[in-house]
Amino acid sequence: MRALRDHELLVVTGKGGVGRTTTTAALGLAAAREGLRTCVVELGGQASLARTLGLPDAAYGPREVAPGLHLMSLSATACLGDFGQRKLHVGALARWFFESRVMAGFVEAVPGLTDVVQLGKVEDMLAAPQRDDPVFDLVVLDAPATGHGLTLLAAARAMAEMTAVGPFHDLAAIIEGLLGDPERTGVVLVTLPEALPVQESVELAHALATDGAPPVLTVVNQRLPPWPDGLDEAAVTAALTAGAGPDEPAPPLLADLARSELRRHRAQVEALAQLARRLPEVVGHPVPLASLARLADPGRLDDLLPPLRAHLGAP
Amino acid sequence: MSVEVLLCCGVGGAGKTTSAAALAVALAASGRQVVVLTIDPARRLADALGIDHLGNEPQALDLPEVTAAGGRLDALMLDRKATWDALVRTHAGDADLAARLLANPYYEALSTRLTGGHEYMATERLHQLAHDGRWDVVVVDTPPSQHAVDFFRAPARIRRILDRNLLGALLTPSQGLLGVATRRAVDVVRRLAGPKVLDDLVHFFELVGSLAGGLRERSAAVQALLQAPTTRVLLVASAVSPREEDLLDFLGVVREDGLQFGGYLLTRAAAPLGLPAEALVAAIPDGARDVPAEAWAAVRAALADAVHRRARDSARHVATAARLAAAGRAPVWTLPEVDGGVADLDGLRALVPHLPPAPPRLPAP
């Protein structure tokens, strides 16, 4: 399998709420630290990634957010205008046209068109950067959750079938050349160490593998700190209560917390075992795994980088 | 109409599916006749609810607490494509027209992938369940989305496409009637998309024209159901990282659209500690008899981490709940975090005592 760092595009997906955007930002920072000229990209005019990286709003053009790391917040309208200008040479008319009612109606009615134009922009950044734009070794894409993520990855194929000929058809074929090539594109699957997210991740990995894009990395977010073997509820409760006076409120509270932590820890161990067992089954081979600790402070992305850098640094 | 409808809205990952399922269990266990429409639950939850992934039909779930209360609980998973096809068959009038529509390549794309199509079919299925007669409460989980309001905005988008036919300009044969600017735009679209898409589209709209009236009436009925006084919207949000502006914006949209807001459900909430975090951390013994020092150090670290996390998370959601309650003049329910996540019936049952005792009835704002 190709090394993580040798891909041109990493597509980050997973169940809603598992931390895709945080993972995208951390992966981008880690890649930049490893010396790759990197761009992190979010779609649909969102500003979540921008905010995660400390910027107040979204902007279309690449902005350097850390040494070696750029950010782009794409929107379908901006990408369409861009596409029209460069591929159709409609020139100054482009903006007027792409904001017209006819075009708005068309974009609204054709499934996947917004996905395709935005992916087209990503492909263009990699394959044919504009004269004034930075050159990137790696783009990390903050893709939508599960179902929408799959739709995004399949959008170009569907568009190619729907159109048969024409510029959109050609664009779809170019995108498929990027997304459909495991040497160029890798999917990063984000999950939590809990039963349902793990189960959904296994189902998603199965769907991805069926579509010919098995995940190249699994990221487990919000790992709890380790709990020593052999210390069960009774042992911990006894230790917490030993020596404390009968009316002290802290020991029972701490015992409750310990019980709850122990339960979560067991659930985590079980979920991770499930992931380790099922993922290779549905994908057909082992998938590398990076574990990220639960952040005490959401702003401290640096704490997440070491495990990601280890994977990106590997040849 | 006496059927009550509860819509669980929220962004992806907020806990909509779990909340909808727990709400359905709670209501059925209080003696109501309940059906819950879920959107793509993970397999284990689907199994817990007795839902066959292949079926678009409600399946009865046999729970002792429901039977004892004289209630009823059915669950189903939305099948977007099957619901579209059924809608077309119902309104097509004759089988031949239906068959031609179902075979149209553009229809295939529209019914499986068009943005908003999932939401439109959820409202359509809701309408069928509400008029079925077997249930007096319908609980609806909504498709995952980036914004909670997408659920209400999406059906209008589909209606615009089917109804007002914004593509009219593209499809009008007599282009002499169009302005120069529009003609130019039409030309560019033709060049961009190629003839196949346009042929499929023209054909689709020719076919759909004869059932447009039926679809229009139908979507008016669905809209009326959403705005009925017996329908309430619940906004589900994660207590760990709620974006308050988004939650308040949502409330604005709900009221603007003439819907009844039932309140907020904050999921995965950490229980308050009851003592200052520092005092608790200080009370963790330095060592423990019969426990190796290294192991106890790990326990200490894990416990201290848990104390700080719990203190931070509970303070955050208590403040959020207070601000939401004040700003929205709407009730806020807090569902506790279930250790290890909710994955089965017992997990759902653990949430039941924290849910509203009956579908919330609120006076109009």
Side-chain angles (χ1 to χ4, degrees), chain A residues 152-196:
Chain A
L152 178 84
L153 289 168
R157 227 167 298 156
M159 178 63 68
E161 269 170 40
M162 250 179 86
T163 46
V165 290
F168 282 152
H169 181 80
D170 300 342
L171 178 65
I174 291 170
I175 295 168
E176 196 45 30
L178 172 64
L179 292 183
D181 183 351
E183 298 278 293
R184 299 181 70 195
T185 299
V187 175
V188 175
L189 190 58
V190 186
T191 190
L192 295 177
E194 291 174 11
L196 280 188

Side-chain angles (χ1 to χ4, degrees), chain A residues 108-109 167 196 199 261, chain B residues 43-44 106 160 191 309 342:
Chain A
E108 196 163 60
L196 280 188
Q199 188 194 342
E261 280 306 291
Chain B
R43 173 83 59 182
R44 252 174 84 188
Y106 176 70
R160 252 192 329 263
R191 274 168 58 200
R309 196 170 60 231
V342 177

Side-chain angles (χ1 to χ4, degrees), chain B residues 190-333:
Chain B
R190 278 189 204 287
R191 274 168 58 200
L192 277 172
K196 179 175 182 298
V197 180
L198 290 182
D199 287 351
D200 290 342
L201 273 173
V202 170
H203 190 214
F204 172 77
F205 280 104
E206 280 167 5
L207 293 172
V208 98
S210 42
L211 50 103
L215 288 178
R216 216 181 345 260
E217 258 170 49
R218 180 60 165 201
S219 66
V222 170
Q223 191 63 35
L225 174 62
L226 290 180
Q227 290 172 328
T230 44
T231 297
R232 271 169 306 272
V233 177
L234 296 169
L235 183 49
V236 183
S238 160
V240 186
S241 54
R243 300 245 344 255
E244 280 179 47
E245 319 89 86
D246 291 355
L247 301 186
L248 294 172
D249 286 353
F250 178 83
L251 186 65
V253 169
V254 164
R255 293 200 164 140
E256 211 172 280
D257 287 11
L259 304 153
Q260 325 292 318
F261 188 62
Y264 297 98
L265 284 180
L266 293 184
T267 60
R268 306 187 63 138
L273 285 168
L275 276 182
E278 291 314 324
L280 270 174
V281 172
I284 306 173
D286 293 331
R289 222 159 28 117
D290 307 330
V291 180
E294 207 173 299
W296 187 251
V299 170
R300 272 183 62 95
L303 272 180
D305 183 74
V307 166
H308 288 302
R309 196 170 60 231
R310 180 79 74 85
R312 194 182 58 240
D313 289 353
S314 63
R316 193 183 296 155
H317 83 73
V318 166
T320 300
R323 279 194 294 267
L324 287 178
R329 294 184 302 281
V332 180
W333 283 277

